[in-house]
Amino acid sequence: MSSTPLPGIGVRYDLTTRERRRLSVVAHRDGSRTLNAYQEDDPDACALSMRLTSAEAATLVDALMPAHHSPNLLSTTELGLVAERIELSAGSHWNGRLLGETRTRTETGVSIVAVLRRAEAIPSPGPDFRLSGGDTLIVIGTREGVEAAAVILGRG
């Protein structure tokens, strides 16, 4: 699976199945999802496009992966929170700078709960964590806070 940031929209996730069928999901910033399936004979022609609310997307996930749910896990949408991935571009203003310098938590109230770097996950990075272009930051906060964090962290 690959992901592509869509500035101002969200993130698109693309998957090619074992049977060579193309699927994509656009995770919109408002929590909704768009599920797309492409024609078998023309992988650029969309055969199905369906917009799902965040609740509908969660129901679909439950149908696809019913064993994933644990009563000990909190559903962020039920709490009024969202979790998103924010990717730092290679030419990011924050490349080589400390996480604390972004002032993301102070300015937005959003928590950066992990950083994905290459094949490694760094949980709970502190303010002295040095960012690198290509890092993907996992953030949790209100919808408004996450959008504000995306603006701060998207600074080129």
Side-chain angles (χ1 to χ4, degrees):
M1 177 159 37
S2 66
S3 65
T4 305
L6 302 172
I9 298 170
V11 178
R12 185 184 74 219
Y13 299 94
D14 295 298
L15 166 73
T16 301
T17 69
R18 184 182 54 183
E19 295 175 346
R20 307 286 237 194
R21 298 296 303 267
R22 279 200 30 210
L23 301 171
S24 73
V25 174
V26 176
H28 298 272
R29 292 200 175 279
D30 67 2
S32 66
R33 302 291 188 259
T34 301
L35 173 65
N36 300 301
Y38 297 89
Q39 292 182 10
E40 190 171 1
D41 60 341
D42 183 355
D44 293 325
C46 193
L48 169 75
S49 183
M50 185 180 308
R51 183 114 179 202
L52 304 171
T53 65
S54 57
E56 292 166 337
T59 300
L60 180 58
V61 168
D62 284 336
L64 293 171
M65 297 281 297
H68 86 284
H69 190 65
S70 164
N72 294 329
L73 293 177
L74 296 175
S75 171
T76 56
T77 55
E78 290 173 8
L79 299 172
L81 300 174
V82 295
E84 285 211 17
R85 297 169 181 243
I86 299 175
E87 187 171 335
L88 295 182
S89 68
S92 171
H93 169 78
W94 305 112
N95 187 14
R97 296 180 186 235
L98 300 179
L99 179 59
E101 291 179 56
T102 70
R103 299 185 42 83
T104 301
R105 185 176 178 92
T106 303
E107 299 292 327
T108 68
V110 166
S111 294
I112 298 171
V113 297
V115 175
L116 307 178
R117 182 176 286 165
R118 295 180 208 83
E120 180 183 10
I122 299 111
S124 304
D128 59 343
F129 179 82
R130 192 162 302 279
L131 297 167
S132 179
D135 283 351
T136 299
L137 285 61
I138 308 299
V139 301
I140 294 180
T142 64
R143 168 64 43 212
E144 297 78 20
V146 167
E147 288 178 1
V151 170
I152 290 169
L153 296 167
R155 192 172 152 198

